[in-house]
């Protein structure tokens, strides 16, 4: 899989390191799948690369013993923390991190800790970590990542230098998916649009076979009226329900765009362009608007963990062209 590294951010770190202005804590903020933790990892590698330290180069060499240990995940002075398969970063993980940061570095010039998605730290974890952020031990670099900066303790955010990651433009992501991942144009267009320009998210969707999944949603809920079994299956699983609603929302937005005279490159479901063109004539503006409102409402209900079985069934009735 192609790694997602934000070269612009990496270069900023490179300049900071070179000029001796590297601070002790950074918060990389941006949407999920945009390459924050991959970039953090590259920074950790760069900081300790022996050839870079010797002044022989400005990037990581990938060959010295530090780079090799980093790439094999065995660097003793680099700690990576995430929530793993659970839904939060626990106090025990933070306690262990703190005690390791207090020890002398084994071999690195800078000990690095990378904490992924700090929004999932428990309140206890955040508070314990705050002290380390306030009084960092010397020679420590902390790189935190978050996709929702506003949901974190303000005291944590304010003690970090925030570096923002912005999504690439949809055309740029589409080009990369075609060039680097060998996708056809309609798939690349769909994944670039649906991931809102996040290359990492787009690749993840592709690996999960999302093109087929989203077409199953459309086939079963837009083009078929005998889809009770399918609907039941979807409704039994919240993430699947959410995905189905999001796919339908993008489908009806496509119809609205076409009805308003929009261009082909604005369409999400480019792989089904001909069907969209035919279908667009069968809905009125008001009908599409109504469906979009219902979809947005259903997504909100789902977000609040409310039962959306009835709204979804009513929605399906509306979707069918009478
Ligand atoms: Zn190296």
């Amino acid at each position: 899989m192609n790694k997602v590294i934000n070269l612009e951010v990496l270069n900023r770190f490179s300049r900071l390191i070179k000029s001796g202005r590297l601070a002790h804590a950074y918060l990389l903020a941006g949407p999920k799948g945009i390459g924050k933790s991959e970039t953090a990892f590259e920074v950790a590698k760069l900081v300790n690369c022996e050839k870079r330290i010797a002044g022989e180069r400005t990037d990581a060499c990938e060959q010295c013993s530090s780079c090799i240990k980093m790439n094999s995940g065995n660097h003793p002075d680099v700690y990576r923390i995430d929530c793993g398969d659970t839904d939060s970063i626990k106090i025990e993980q933070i306690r262990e991190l703190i005690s390791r940061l207090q020890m002398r570095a084994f071999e690195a010039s800078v000990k690095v800790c990378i904490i992924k998605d700090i929004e999932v730290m428990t309140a206890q974890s955040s508070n314990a970590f705050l002290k380390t952020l306030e009084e960092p031990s010397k020679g420590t670099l902390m790189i935190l990542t978050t996709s929702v900066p506003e949901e974190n303790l303000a005291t944590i955010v304010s003690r970090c230098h925030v570096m923002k990651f912005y999504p690439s433009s949809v055309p740029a992501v589409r080009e990369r998916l075609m060039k680097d991942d060998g996708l056809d144009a309609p798939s690349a267009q769909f994944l670039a649009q649906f991931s809102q320009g996040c290359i990492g998210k787009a690749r993840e969707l592709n690996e999960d076979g999302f093109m087929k999944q989203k077409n199953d949603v459309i086939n079963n809920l837009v083009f078929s009226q005998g889809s009770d079994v399918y609907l039941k299956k979807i409704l039994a699983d919240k993430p699947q329900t959410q995905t189905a609603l999001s796919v339908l929302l993008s489908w009806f937005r496509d119809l609205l765009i076409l009805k308003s005279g929009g261009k082909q490159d604005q369409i999400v479901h480019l792989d089904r362009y001909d069907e969209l063109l035919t279908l667009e004539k069968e809905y009125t503006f008001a009908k599409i608007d109504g469906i979009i409102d219902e979809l947005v409402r259903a997504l909100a209900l789902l977000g609040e963990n409310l039962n959306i079985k009835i709204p979804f069934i009513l929605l399906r009735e509306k979707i069918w062209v009478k």
Side-chain angles (χ1 to χ4, degrees):
M1 181 177 163
N2 288 302
K3 274 201 274 182
V4 190
I5 297 161
N6 186 321
L7 290 177
E8 200 185 311
V9 170
L10 189 60
N11 286 334
R12 272 175 76 187
F13 273 104
S14 175
R15 288 195 298 273
L16 288 167
I17 295 167
K18 200 174 165 203
S19 62
R21 288 183 292 122
L22 190 67
H24 76 276
Y26 291 87
L27 176 63
L28 310 186
K32 276 193 188 301
I34 203 164
K36 299 183 297 294
S37 46
E38 288 97 330
T39 305
F41 179 80
E42 291 303 310
V43 173
K45 201 195 291 177
L46 179 67
V47 144
N48 284 314
C49 170
E50 291 160 17
K51 297 216 165 146
R52 189 211 49 83
I53 293 169
E56 291 171 31
R57 52 193 299 156
T58 53
D59 57 347
C61 73
E62 309 291 343
Q63 283 157 7
C64 68
S65 102
S66 172
C67 283
I68 289 170
K69 281 179 191 156
M70 277 297 294
N71 286 337
S72 62
N74 290 321
H75 202 299
D77 296 311
V78 175
Y79 318 116
R80 299 171 85 175
I81 289 187
D82 57 42
C83 64
D85 294 332
T86 71
D87 54 7
S88 62
I89 294 174
K90 314 276 186 308
I91 182 75
E92 295 75 29
Q93 291 172 277
I94 297 297
R95 284 201 186 115
E96 195 196 331
L97 172 74
I98 293 171
S99 71
R100 291 176 75 170
L101 286 180
Q102 282 163 349
M103 289 190 284
R104 185 195 287 268
F106 287 98
E107 48 198 63
S109 66
V110 178
K111 283 181 289 184
V112 186
C113 87
I114 299 172
I115 306 184
K116 192 179 167 195
D117 299 331
I118 56 163
E119 65 273 15
V120 300
M121 282 206 271
T122 61
Q124 239 188 338
S125 302
S126 300
N127 284 316
F129 183 66
L130 189 57
K131 185 134 178 54
T132 307
L133 257 185
E134 283 168 338
E135 297 159 19
S137 45
K138 215 169 167 294
T140 302
L141 171 64
M142 290 174 268
I143 309 177
L144 321 177
T145 79
T146 185
S147 54
V148 277
E150 65 283 1
E151 280 181 24
N152 299 294
L153 274 187
T155 37
I156 287 195
V157 177
S158 68
R159 279 168 179 78
C160 299
H161 291 260
V162 179
M163 284 200 188
K164 287 201 172 126
F165 282 53
Y166 296 101
S168 312
S169 70
V170 167
V173 170
R174 184 184 57 215
E175 294 313 307
R176 280 185 70 184
L177 290 173
M178 288 168 68
K179 196 167 147 273
D180 301 344
D181 301 68
L183 293 185
D184 58 55
S187 303
Q189 167 85 353
F190 171 79
L191 293 167
Q193 289 259 21
F194 202 80
S195 65
Q196 297 177 319
C198 278
I199 182 93
K201 177 78 189 157
R203 284 180 173 142
E204 196 185 303
L205 290 172
N206 186 42
E207 281 170 12
D208 292 346
F210 194 69
M211 289 302 288
K212 184 184 176 305
Q213 265 184 58
K214 73 99 180 165
N215 279 322
D216 282 349
V217 171
I218 295 165
N219 293 338
N220 281 291
L221 299 175
V222 178
F223 288 105
S224 158
Q225 305 206 356
S227 53
D228 289 347
V229 178
Y230 181 79
L231 190 60
K232 205 172 163 190
K233 192 184 106 195
I234 293 275
L235 284 169
D237 181 81
K238 187 178 167 187
Q240 275 202 54
T241 311
Q242 199 159 20
T243 300
L245 289 169
S246 305
V247 168
L248 289 173
L249 188 58
S250 59
W251 177 262
F252 283 94
R253 283 194 175 139
D254 275 358
L255 287 174
L256 196 62
I257 288 169
L258 287 177
K259 223 170 169 52
S260 323
K263 302 248 161 34
Q264 199 169 339
D265 62 1
Q266 295 171 277
I267 297 300
V268 177
H269 299 268
L270 193 59
D271 58 321
R272 306 188 73 155
Y273 185 60
D274 292 343
E275 288 164 286
L276 282 165
L277 278 182
T278 314
L279 210 55
E280 170 258 305
K281 298 181 189 73
E282 301 188 30
Y283 290 95
T284 60
F285 265 116
K287 179 141 186 158
I288 298 177
D289 269 342
I291 293 171
I292 289 178
D293 281 349
E294 295 285 335
L295 284 165
V296 170
R297 202 167 304 143
L299 275 165
L301 289 175
L302 191 68
E304 292 167 27
N305 282 321
L306 296 169
N307 191 332
I308 66 147
K309 190 175 169 195
I310 304 292
F312 209 146
I313 290 171
L314 293 176
L315 187 60
R316 191 178 56 162
E317 307 279 321
K318 278 199 178 174
I319 287 173
W320 292 335
V321 185
K322 296 279 173 352

